[in-house]
Amino acid sequence: MIYGIIVFGIGFMMISPVSAFISALFFRSYLRDMAVSEGRKFSVWQGIIVMLCVFGLFEIHNQINVRGMDMAAFGNSDEHIRGVKLLRAFGSESEMLKSCYGMNRRNNIMFLWQDVFKKNFHYLWDDMPSTEKWDMPSTKRSREIYYRVTGKPFNSVPPPKYSSRSEWWDSGLGGEKVSQKIEGLWLNASRLDGKIEPDAATSYLEWTMVFKNDSRIQQEARAQILLPKGGVVSRLTLWVNGEEREAAFSTRGKARAAYNSVVHQRRDPVLVSYDGADRILMQCFPVPPTGEMKIRIGMTSPLTLDSKDEGMMTIPRILENNFGIAEGFGHSVWIDSKTPLSSSEKSLISTEDGFVLKGDIYESFSDASVVIRVRRSAEILSAWTPDPTDNTSAVYQTIAETTSQPPNQAIFVIDGSVGMKEHIPAITDALSLVPAGVRYGVIFASDKTETLSSSASEKDMQTIALQLKNADYIGGCDNVSALEQAWDMANPELNPVIIWIHATQPLLLKSAEGLTQRLQLNKRGGWIDVQAAPGPNRIIKVLKKTDKPEILSMSKSLGDDIKRILSTSKQKQFEFSRKNLRKEEVESLKPDVQTSSHIALLWANSEILTYYKAGNTDEAVNLASRYRLVTPVSSAVVLENKQQYKDAGLEVPEYKPGKDYDFNDVVMEDKNIGGSAVPEPATLWLLFIGIVLAGIWKMWKNRSVTDKRLS
């Protein structure tokens, strides 16, 4: 019988509280009789006190976490910092992570008391200070607190595994942020193909990605991608039913509206939009349950010239993603050129002639910069290409050597976040060896912004470097206030440069309006962004209509990068100039070489940014649509069929396959784009159910006819 209850009696579990109560009464009677027989005093209260102490030990840690979250979320600036410090010392990272996903219901005594108190004594509740109410922080606020406490973006770690909500609830679906990590969604394949034109000093890369969904429902893959310096997205494709489809380029609002419309229909769109300087946001939906989705992003970028005979570029990187990348995952790379190539990445191997660089990169593209170097002819300083949108025009490019003046004032803004800890030795070594003749300022962005010096000499910097080496690097810190102070400290007469060295900045912890104002009013002075640790940078994203900062192309040595910035010798630089002229005028200039149309795309991108910063949005939109580029005013979207493009008011391009992709291979036509040939899984299920029901109805009808005949 007992065996039968264990195996088949799962239904008895619902009466377990009653059986536990009966057992407690039985043991209470037994213990009382035993105490009387031994002549000892029996007390119920002793047991109750012990029970409360045991429960209290389990509850106290949870209450500390709740109290810290409340102080950090609803307190003033001082209470906020105390709450963050309390969570760093005693908080539960797993509980904070649950709050980031909106799953942390406070199933504890204080939460039950709060509900009763709010319901029956609301007139007292309304008069209580905010820090005494113990409210639930919003998911947005919880994510800020998680970053402040841990120094990590909440979506850089796997979601809580013990709740099925992490699978079906995606708050970022169709939004403009990467948002939360999705369990079961993976980058399943990654391939980067590229071609470098050394004469034109340009490169074109195509990144093909395949996403796999192991979950039971459709999911959206999202990622923020860092392009090569000065790069722009010039192509986007999506595979629909095994066929590669090209993107339509339109205004940001129109493209996003088309994407969201198709997302709501559970069809197959992909959207790429501008997400800050040299950054894009990629999102595609739906990655089907236990299925895959394949996309390709094409990027045009200029080379950075270290000298007339050598150029360099960095491979694009994933800064933030809502999908997983398995440990040991390999990104396949193949880049070719007409001249020898080399790379900082040891796993990339050159062919015997050196014109092809290939291999697999087994670390995540988000972990480090991979630099590609290419040899070029020092005599070729001008190039041209026909304008792909106008047969009578051409784009003319020149490369000119200039000399930069060294700064007389250098202000360092050092991020105090935990992600900086491993980089501090290299930074302090470089700061202790700064050149003489420059006035130095150092601002440390910790929980509170601290000015270490506003006018230090090279000798003083050795003491400051020691202070930075001994400082605490913990959690995530606000850098906006420190940058504002740096610009207030800058003296325009000294040709100042602000060098911001920081870890990831996944959240904007303070409004950047004050910083934007300073950038727009300070016409003199430079700002160099040195991101020591990989990840998103929300501060850069909001500075849309400014020319600052200059994002440093990182090498493998952070210390060498800082020394290069501070070099007091006059540095040689190479600047590109691109103009759109009449063909006859270009021919009269006798350019050195004719190249592909990618220099025309770079000219158009530069013009679009100029129009955008000047507030001339209409001209910017017209150029972006003509040259099919993703810019601050335009996005690229791929839809599933011809009707969806028509409904959204978008033109449909068609790609003519060739050996190498070029702008001229795309024609603006609206043919051969039909509907989906394979129905969606839901449609197949409905069709199957309909057939089964029709069969049952047919059998029932035939049986009725047979019964009538027999009767």
Side-chain angles (χ1 to χ4, degrees), residues 447-495:
D447 286 335
K448 289 188 176 181
T449 302
E450 183 180 357
T451 300
L452 301 183
S453 176
S454 59
S455 182
S457 65
E458 72 279 4
K459 293 182 180 179
D460 298 329
M461 290 297 288
Q462 296 179 6
T463 304
I464 294 172
L466 186 61
Q467 286 181 263
L468 290 171
K469 186 174 290 187
N470 296 328
D472 291 328
Y473 296 86
I474 186 169
C477 301
D478 170 32
N479 281 223
V480 174
S481 298
L483 290 168
E484 290 175 348
Q485 289 189 25
W487 279 105
D488 292 339
M489 187 186 295
N491 184 348
E493 303 300 323
L494 298 177
N495 187 29

Side-chain angles (χ1 to χ4, degrees), residues 161-180:
K161 291 184 178 297
Y162 48 84
S163 174
S164 60
R165 192 176 186 184
S166 63
E167 178 181 271
W168 60 261
W169 180 70
D170 182 4
S171 63
L173 179 63
E176 298 186 34
K177 294 181 180 179
V178 173
S179 193
Q180 68 198 59

